[in-house]
Amino acid sequence: MIIKPLIRSNMCINAHPKGCAADVKHQIEFIKKKFTTRSIPADAPKTVLVLGCSTGYGLASRIVAAFGYKAATIGVSFEKEGSDGGIGESREKTGTPGWYNNMAFDKFAKEAGLDAVTFNGDAFSHEMRQNVIDTLKKMGRKVDLLVYSVASSVRVDPDNGTIYRSVLKPIDKVFTGATIDCLSGKISTISAEPATAEEAANTVKVMGGEDWALWVRKLKEAGVLAEGVKTVAYSYIGPKLSHAIYRDGTIGGAKKHLEATALELNKELQNDLHGEAYVSVNKGLVTRSSAVIPIIPMYISVLFKVMKEMGNHEGCIEQMERLMTERLYTGSKVPTDENHLIRIDDYELDPKVQAEVDKRMATVTQENLAEVGDLEGYRHDFLATNGFDIDGVDYEADVQTLTSI
């Protein structure tokens, strides 16, 4: 079959197997090239566990660890596989992008002679934690870097089965902002209703630091964390114009809980293993969820244009390469701000960048959007997250199977 992107309400609901594989390969090639001029410090990671390994920052983190530092990696994510139809199947379905990304990573890691184990399942479950512990013991390895990049809308409490659902809403009052249709470029206005207290609390249960702490403590109890282990989770702060919907909204509340958890884990790991725990505040990027947040698509489009003009634009893989090589593993103390946060959103929030973004945001119209913003770049990144618009892929070619790459 010929696979074209299916867009519904600014979300792409299918994926291209070969496009996903090509994108993973492009990221790997970028890291291999970068590391030809990088010296490997003595404290470089050797065994890396990535929770939420299949897309975005989690996938990029795993690629840097494996193809940069030659580390053994274990990845955990929850993805849906593709189906070619058959008994009980009403139609052919592509898998999720992460399904094909994981398949591609495993293939390229095997070809490179790298140890890699990928689990597809619920990272919130005790069963998955035990699977990882058993695998580490079988491999005779201890984790020296734990990356927590789980992004989910639902979490089932592993102890009592309670289902928690996260929401992306403001607190106290309605938030209204402009958005951009990813394909047509049409500007429209959307609103988000304020969250209830229960919704805000449930979002913290899903997206906060509770599960991260469970993982760290279970692995520590099982004796599979190495002396000097580092763990990092990911957050976003962004510009003031988005704070009402993000930083000061439900997701921001969860991220603040994540950041507080890092301080607790840092103390525990220092005491027990001379280890460290951090939250890295990363740059805003096009993701499957950011496209439906009021104001974010327009902001990112303008931001990309400004940063590309200033020569400091980065995508996921560039951000994670810089996090690993210029923050976490330099042979020196990890640099943080006054709140113990690693800041690799520094290029985005540079006053010169933000001043120019603010200036352009105030002038955006339907007529000048392509001039003041990077609509083509935004559209490319939106499609690329699902394996479309990737260089070197023939999208007119027949895809023989949806179950492999």
Side-chain angles (χ1 to χ4, degrees):
M1 65 185 294
I2 307 298
I3 304 176
K4 300 293 183 181
L6 298 176
I7 312 298
R8 302 286 186 273
S9 301
N10 251 16
M11 295 187 70
C12 189
I13 60 174
N14 65 341
H16 197 287
K18 294 187 181 301
C20 290
D23 188 46
V24 171
K25 187 173 181 60
H26 290 336
Q27 293 185 63
I28 290 171
E29 292 304 317
F30 171 83
I31 291 302
K32 289 167 70 175
K33 183 176 180 180
K34 290 289 287 189
F35 271 75
T36 59
T37 58
R38 293 282 192 188
S39 59
I40 307 298
D43 64 343
K46 298 176 178 62
T47 304
V48 179
L49 171 60
V50 182
L51 305 172
C53 68
S54 57
T55 61
Y57 282 128
L59 173 62
S61 301
R62 193 178 188 192
I63 289 172
V64 177
F67 291 90
Y69 293 122
K70 308 302 181 186
T73 62
I74 296 177
V76 178
S77 61
F78 201 0
E79 301 292 343
K80 293 182 180 179
E81 62 184 305
S83 170
D84 288 331
I87 298 175
E89 295 286 349
S90 59
R91 59 186 177 88
E92 297 173 324
K93 299 178 183 178
T94 72
T96 53
W99 175 264
Y100 299 121
N101 291 343
N102 283 342
M103 193 178 295
F105 178 91
D106 287 346
K107 174 180 182 291
F108 297 133
K110 183 178 180 180
E111 290 174 354
L114 299 169
D115 286 340
V117 178
T118 303
F119 289 101
N120 189 58
D122 183 8
F124 296 129
S125 69
H126 290 320
E127 179 184 10
M128 183 58 72
R129 276 182 270 274
Q130 192 59 52
N131 286 341
V132 170
I133 289 168
D134 291 344
T135 298
L136 285 163
K137 290 183 175 179
K138 184 178 180 180
M139 295 171 71
R141 288 182 172 272
K142 293 187 177 183
V143 172
D144 49 15
L145 174 62
L146 166 59
V147 174
Y148 191 86
S149 187
V150 176
S152 175
S153 60
V154 180
R155 178 185 175 212
V156 178
D157 189 292
D159 293 322
N160 57 33
T162 301
I163 299 175
Y164 298 101
R165 300 184 186 277
S166 66
V167 296
L168 203 161
K169 291 184 176 183
I171 304 295
D172 295 333
K173 60 182 180 180
V174 175
F175 180 84
T176 300
T179 192
I180 304 171
D181 183 278
C182 294
L183 294 187
S184 70
K186 182 180 179 181
I187 297 174
S188 61
T189 300
I190 56 175
S191 297
E193 295 295 320
T196 65
E198 182 179 13
E199 286 177 323
N202 287 350
T203 302
V204 172
K205 293 289 286 188
V206 178
M207 298 288 289
E210 185 174 277
D211 183 65
W212 182 26
L214 275 173
W215 270 97
V216 171
R217 289 163 183 160
K218 289 291 185 181
L219 294 170
K220 180 160 61 74
E221 289 171 9
V224 291
L225 290 184
E227 185 79 10
V229 62
K230 292 178 181 177
T231 183
V232 61
Y234 298 140
S235 186
Y236 181 64
I237 292 178
K240 290 183 179 179
L241 66 88
S242 70
H243 281 190
I245 187 66
Y246 198 92
R247 185 65 181 178
D248 296 332
T250 54
I251 296 296
K255 294 300 186 182
K256 290 170 186 175
H257 185 273
L258 188 78
E259 292 158 17
T261 301
L263 296 175
E264 296 176 8
L265 292 176
N266 194 57
K267 290 180 181 178
E268 293 178 22
L269 290 175
Q270 283 184 346
N271 290 335
D272 297 337
L273 294 167
H274 301 101
E276 304 162 63
Y278 300 98
V279 165
S280 174
V281 182
N282 303 342
K283 176 192 175 188
L285 296 172
V286 180
T287 65
R288 299 179 74 191
S289 59
S290 69
V292 297
I293 306 174
I295 209 64
I296 294 297
M298 183 177 289
Y299 164 75
I300 288 180
S301 176
V302 175
L303 176 71
F304 281 14
K305 183 88 166 190
V306 171
M307 295 187 74
K308 286 176 182 179
E309 289 174 0
M310 292 186 176
N312 57 7
H313 176 69
E314 294 175 319
C316 277
I317 194 65
E318 292 88 356
Q319 280 264 290
M320 294 299 96
E321 195 273 339
R322 190 157 65 93
L323 170 65
M324 297 285 189
T325 61
E326 298 182 14
R327 299 293 192 275
L328 289 176
Y329 298 104
T330 64
S332 301
K333 183 178 179 181
V334 175
T336 62
D337 68 7
E338 66 277 9
N339 296 312
H340 190 65
L341 301 173
I342 298 173
R343 303 302 295 265
I344 57 166
D345 62 343
D346 48 349
Y347 295 170
E348 175 185 356
L349 296 187
D350 182 289
K352 291 181 180 179
V353 170
Q354 286 300 310
E356 183 61 24
V357 170
D358 289 344
K359 177 182 175 182
R360 297 189 188 191
M361 288 287 288
T363 68
V364 173
T365 65
Q366 187 68 67
E367 290 69 31
N368 71 5
L369 175 59
E371 178 183 345
V372 300
D374 183 21
L375 186 57
E376 287 303 314
Y378 182 89
R379 184 181 290 121
H380 164 76
D381 284 9
F382 173 79
L383 293 170
T385 59
N386 286 59
F388 298 102
D389 202 32
I390 304 297
D391 288 344
V393 178
D394 182 0
Y395 290 99
E396 300 303 321
D398 184 46
V399 176
Q400 298 295 319
T401 175
L402 300 180
T403 59
S404 67
I405 56 175

